[in-house]
Amino acid sequence: MRKSKLIEQNMALFEDLQKTQRELNELKRLLSKNADEIKSLREQLDKANETKEEVTPTEPMRRLEEKVIMGATLKPDMEYGAQVIGKIVISAAEYSNKLTIGGDDSHKELVNLILGKTEVAKAEILSVTESDDSFDVKCAKIDQISAVTKEYFESVLAQIV
């Protein structure tokens, strides 16, 4: 009886060993599969990071800006007003530079007057361009604002002589 018990126990242990080896092989296969999947995902992540670095987030904004600029057309009166405002701003900078030659800031109030008049002129030109007048009338009004502004700049500059 003892021998038969040992044989039964040996058979049971053998079956358990076989079952455990099958489970071990299955787990090894699953581990290998998971390792391959992790490697593949890391490669995909590296590729995604590389492409992310190449394409800057501002690229779509730049393209949108180009589309807006291409699609934007100014009315002739707005364009003329913008040109005159540009000339006034340049003139204001020149007069301000004359007042602050060599870093002299003793005429700071006069520079502020010039800058203030520049802002007023820009607002006046904007209101003219938004009015219902004809293009020629708008241009005449804008030219008048420009002339008055330059005279003002001259009068401010004359205060230091």
Side-chain angles (χ1 to χ4, degrees):
M1 181 111 180
R2 230 174 155 170
K3 193 175 187 182
S4 67
K5 274 263 197 214
L6 284 174
I7 292 175
E8 281 180 36
Q9 189 177 15
N10 191 17
M11 293 296 269
L13 288 173
F14 184 73
E15 287 177 16
D16 284 345
L17 178 62
Q18 292 294 325
K19 182 180 174 186
T20 305
Q21 283 181 340
R22 282 192 299 267
E23 288 176 1
L24 179 63
N25 288 336
E26 179 65 25
L27 290 174
K28 284 181 180 179
R29 187 188 61 76
L30 185 61
L31 179 63
S32 174
K33 179 183 170 188
N34 287 343
D36 291 341
E37 186 176 350
I38 289 171
K39 182 179 176 182
S40 171
L41 290 173
R42 283 189 178 155
E43 289 173 359
Q44 289 177 3
L45 182 63
D46 290 341
K47 287 179 184 177
N49 286 339
E50 288 174 6
T51 58
K52 189 184 294 183
E53 291 172 4
E54 292 172 7
V55 177
T56 61
T58 58
E59 181 67 23
M61 290 302 290
R62 186 185 57 79
R63 282 186 266 146
L64 177 63
E65 181 182 3
E66 288 174 359
K67 286 181 183 178
V68 169
I69 289 172
M70 292 300 239
T73 55
L74 290 177
K75 294 186 239 174
D77 57 343
M78 288 291 254
E79 192 169 330
Y80 183 74
Q83 289 173 352
V84 172
I85 287 174
K87 290 176 185 175
I88 290 173
V89 169
I90 290 171
S91 178
E94 290 171 353
Y95 282 102
S96 296
N97 285 342
K98 290 177 185 176
L99 290 171
T100 58
I101 291 176
D104 180 23
D105 61 347
S106 61
H107 304 292
K108 194 181 287 188
E109 297 84 17
L110 299 177
V111 171
N112 287 337
L113 289 174
I114 289 175
L115 295 177
K117 180 62 176 176
T118 303
E119 294 301 315
V120 169
K122 289 193 295 187
E124 290 173 349
I125 290 173
L126 177 63
S127 67
V128 168
T129 59
E130 291 177 342
S131 69
D132 293 332
D133 296 331
S134 70
F135 178 71
D136 293 333
V137 171
K138 288 180 181 182
C139 287
K141 287 182 178 180
I142 290 172
D143 290 339
Q144 178 64 29
I145 293 169
S146 176
V148 167
T149 302
K150 287 182 183 178
E151 286 177 21
Y152 182 83
F153 292 166
E154 287 291 331
S155 70
V156 170
L157 189 63
Q159 292 182 23
I160 63 167
V161 176

